[in-house]
Amino acid sequence: MRRGERGTRWWRAVGMDEQLHERIRDAVASVPPGTVATYGDVAALAGASTPRLVGRVLAEDGHDLPWHRVLRANGTPAPHLATEQLARLRAEGVLADGQRIDLRRFRWRPQ
């Protein structure tokens, strides 16, 4: 099965094409180790209409991406991923204050 093939139906339902899907994947892949981005940051970089599309792509086709570097707008991971996500970030030097990452300190700012 080609990458993205299984998710084609939901893409159409939300107005996503394969190019947008790949732009989202590329944006997530470009977040450097030791930094984080929000779903909104990735959506803006990829030209997606909503950060929810980023979450959808990561859920459906993000296993090979640094998904752990993408957080909610308040600097927290999704609750069902928090333990693994925070451990992966800690291994890269991104330290949490409780369950929250300080976006002022660790947020990636693409040039």
Side-chain angles (χ1 to χ4, degrees):
M1 180 181 294
R2 253 182 355 131
R3 181 171 29 133
E5 202 170 56
R6 65 186 166 167
T8 302
R9 280 184 239 138
W10 73 259
W11 289 1
R12 290 186 188 127
V14 297
M16 183 185 295
D17 59 21
E18 189 167 346
Q19 290 175 337
L20 177 56
H21 181 93
E22 290 304 319
R23 286 196 313 268
I24 290 171
R25 286 183 49 81
D26 290 345
V28 172
S30 68
V31 179
T35 66
V36 296
T38 67
Y39 290 97
D41 295 338
V42 173
L45 188 61
S49 61
T50 175
R52 290 178 184 262
L53 293 178
V54 175
R56 195 69 186 261
V57 168
L58 289 176
E60 296 285 328
D61 190 28
H63 64 281
D64 61 334
L65 295 172
W67 58 266
H68 60 284
R69 297 181 191 144
V70 182
L71 301 167
R72 295 167 165 181
N74 66 1
T76 61
H80 67 287
L81 300 171
T83 301
E84 181 178 357
Q85 190 167 13
L86 292 172
R88 286 179 178 225
L89 289 171
R90 189 171 35 258
E92 293 183 357
V94 177
L95 305 176
D97 181 9
Q99 295 284 306
R100 186 180 312 271
I101 301 297
D102 182 352
L103 294 177
R104 289 177 304 215
R105 181 173 176 197
F106 293 106
R107 189 179 222 158
W108 174 54
R109 305 277 185 204
Q111 303 301 328

